[in-house]
Amino acid sequence: MTTTRDHLQALALRDWQAQALAAWSHAGRGVVEAVTGTGKTRLALAAVRLIVDRGGRALVLVPTLELQQQWVRELRHAFAGHRIGMLGGGHDDDLFSSVVLVSTPHSAAQLPIDLPPGSAGLLVADEAHRYGAPTWANALGPQFVFRLALTATYERTDDGVTEVLAPYFGDVVFSYGFAQARADGTIAPFDIAMAAVELDDAERAVYDAADERCRQLHRELVGGLGMPKDPAGLFAAAAAIVAQADGKHAAGRQVVACREYLYATRRRRDAAAQAAAKLTLVGALAPALTGRRTLVFADTVEQADAVARTLSAQALAAETVHGGLDDRRRRIRVAQFRNGKLDALVAPRVLDEGVDVPDADVAVVLAAFRTRRQLVQRLGRILRLKSDGRHARLVVVYAAATREDPGQGGHRAFLQAVQDSAESVVIWDAAKSLGQLPRWLST
């Protein structure tokens, strides 16, 4: 008779996964934070096995339909002979007919998901940091006594972690960061280049004017109106105030100032993120990307389309993926990239997480003005071990003398998180980027 021990041995857990499983199972709930590509899914399969072998049921929440299909494939392989159901994406299974149900958060929030009488329930949340948002939090049902949250970066810019995630899942029970993953050989060795470009005169004028207005409004909102001093905290607080005031006819000075602060912040960010020189640099990189598998993270759909045209003009097969495409076309393009028919995928944010692209080895980031989490996620897209042992390469293109600039504190938290684990980190000014970056990629 096959036992749970036999099933766990068949999963061939890595040391870190076994340690994380032990830490989680001791409490029956908790958050596991681990670098993308190191095997969070396999850890979750082991947790599901512990529950199912004792007659329980499991709900797996995933943020995208692509991830839903990926999880179902993994579960059907690991739980041969058991029914794996789906909720969302045209499916309406439940936990009476299925031992494991894979659902999108929207579907799980809209429909009651009941457990068979006497059955223990486990809820697994993939990309768990997303579930701090109010609409997604509705999918976190109280009927599931056992709870496991999986994420590469357990942080949000709002209060979702402290107000939603921590009360439901509990504490972080295990962390597996870059340094340990590199020491264990569970991720590819990686190199990072921070490459500067210059704003043109018109872009600089827009940026400087917006920056000055942001500073004025920051002083007013913090000093005069007592709002948070930290820029991220101030932005979140201002957004909340504006959202609450939307639709009301009367608006006080605080609402007006918050609305203007959000607008000026967006103008400043856009001037840097969408700098024309970034497209020029991508064009210079094209020859060095031949024979590589490249992801390009753009700021907007328009910028993504321009990047794809630039790469295609230099004989690289490149396509965009974004929210404006239907699910079928997005899946086809990702599949074409995976099987080698495309050299590059270009996207605003669709590829940040939730898409399996194991063969990518280069990521070019044209817009990363926001959080450490976003860059960590984008680096994670290329860190899966390569069959030929090649390095992963991350290129962050930033606008010099803006808030993107490492010399002005840009990306500081991200660089601190990875600098001891990267094989190399180079930072070039605009005078060097155009000439040195293609050679760096070709090395």
Side-chain angles (χ1 to χ4, degrees):
M1 178 178 179
T2 305
T3 66
T4 298
R5 181 187 295 272
D6 296 327
H7 287 141
L8 294 180
Q9 287 178 343
L11 287 171
L13 297 180
R14 293 167 173 160
D15 287 345
W16 85 262
Q17 293 164 330
Q19 294 167 18
L21 180 65
W24 172 80
S25 61
H26 178 73
R29 62 177 61 190
V31 179
V32 173
E33 185 179 33
V35 175
T36 299
T38 54
K40 292 188 293 294
T41 300
R42 182 155 298 192
L43 163 66
L45 294 177
V48 172
R49 174 59 70 184
L50 293 179
I51 300 301
V52 169
D53 279 3
R54 289 162 176 76
R57 297 287 190 272
L59 170 67
V60 179
L61 296 177
V62 295
T64 65
L65 294 176
E66 288 88 352
L67 264 182
Q68 185 183 46
Q69 294 292 336
Q70 181 183 327
W71 270 90
V72 168
R73 288 194 299 270
E74 295 280 355
L75 285 161
R76 286 176 177 167
H77 177 74
F79 290 82
H82 292 284
R83 189 168 190 277
I84 308 301
M86 301 171 67
L87 181 62
H91 302 273
D92 59 356
D93 296 325
D94 57 41
L95 283 175
F96 285 82
S97 59
S98 311
V99 296
V100 185
L101 183 66
V102 186
S103 174
T104 61
H106 175 76
S107 297
Q110 294 295 317
L111 299 171
I113 300 179
D114 297 320
L115 291 162
S119 296
L122 164 65
L123 184 144
V124 177
D126 196 11
E127 307 291 1
H129 53 276
R130 294 191 177 198
Y131 297 84
T135 52
W136 286 38
N138 292 333
L140 304 178
Q143 68 272 33
F144 296 93
V145 176
F146 299 102
R147 301 163 185 179
L148 171 61
L150 305 172
T151 182
T153 49
Y154 191 49
E155 59 186 53
R156 292 178 57 87
T157 56
D158 57 18
D159 295 325
V161 170
T162 55
E163 294 186 357
V164 178
L165 300 179
Y168 187 83
F169 291 105
D171 298 329
V172 175
V173 294
F174 196 87
S175 293
Y176 191 62
F178 288 104
Q180 189 60 51
R182 279 293 297 119
D184 292 347
T186 56
I187 57 174
F190 62 95
D191 303 273
I192 296 173
M194 310 292 293
V197 298
E198 296 283 3
L199 298 181
D200 63 28
D201 291 344
E203 291 164 345
R204 175 55 64 185
V206 171
Y207 181 90
D208 287 347
D211 185 56
E212 177 58 28
R213 189 59 182 141
C214 281
R215 294 174 187 274
Q216 293 170 352
L217 290 163
H218 185 278
R219 290 192 292 270
E220 178 181 343
L221 292 170
V222 174
L225 297 172
M227 294 182 67
K229 183 178 181 180
D230 170 66
L234 177 58
F235 189 91
I241 288 171
V242 170
Q244 188 175 14
D246 277 353
K248 297 180 180 178
H249 295 293
R253 177 55 196 161
Q254 184 182 42
V255 173
V256 172
C258 285
R259 188 176 287 122
E260 188 177 354
Y261 178 74
L262 297 179
Y263 175 75
T265 301
R266 168 61 68 175
R267 289 265 294 173
R268 180 178 65 184
R269 195 198 74 83
D270 287 353
Q274 299 168 26
K278 292 185 175 182
L279 188 60
T280 302
L281 184 57
V282 169
L285 292 182
L289 297 177
T290 301
R292 312 297 291 263
R293 311 298 305 286
T294 303
L295 303 175
V296 183
F297 296 92
D299 186 55
T300 63
V301 172
E302 292 74 20
Q303 189 182 48
D305 287 338
V307 169
R309 288 194 299 269
T310 298
L311 295 176
S312 297
Q314 300 201 44
L316 285 179
E319 290 282 5
T320 59
V321 288
H322 53 78
L325 298 174
D326 60 57
D327 290 337
R328 180 176 174 275
R329 290 178 69 191
R330 281 207 311 271
R331 286 197 298 269
I332 288 173
R333 291 182 181 183
V334 171
Q336 288 175 323
F337 181 80
R338 188 179 292 117
N339 64 29
K341 292 183 179 179
L342 290 178
D343 301 306
L345 279 181
V346 190
R349 294 181 188 87
V350 171
L351 298 176
D352 280 10
E353 51 196 29
V355 178
D356 183 20
V357 281
D359 292 328
D361 64 324
V362 176
V364 180
V365 179
L366 301 183
F369 207 66
R370 300 173 181 220
T371 64
R372 179 189 78 99
R373 178 177 61 79
Q374 188 181 62
L375 267 183
V376 168
Q377 292 282 0
R378 291 175 173 187
L379 173 60
R381 296 291 88 197
I382 58 174
L383 287 185
R384 295 185 189 275
L385 290 170
K386 320 303 177 189
S387 58
D388 58 2
R390 69 190 184 277
H391 285 208
R393 296 289 177 90
L394 174 70
V395 179
V396 179
V397 186
Y398 66 90
T402 71
R403 289 170 61 85
E404 292 184 344
D405 193 332
Q408 297 192 8
H411 313 307
R412 178 179 295 152
F414 168 73
L415 290 171
Q416 289 174 343
V418 301
Q419 62 187 2
D420 293 335
S421 307
E423 297 293 302
S424 65
V425 178
V426 295
I427 300 177
W428 286 313
D429 60 30
K432 295 180 180 178
S433 293
L434 202 61
Q436 299 214 27
L437 188 53
R439 289 196 294 272
W440 180 82
L441 275 174
S442 298
T443 302

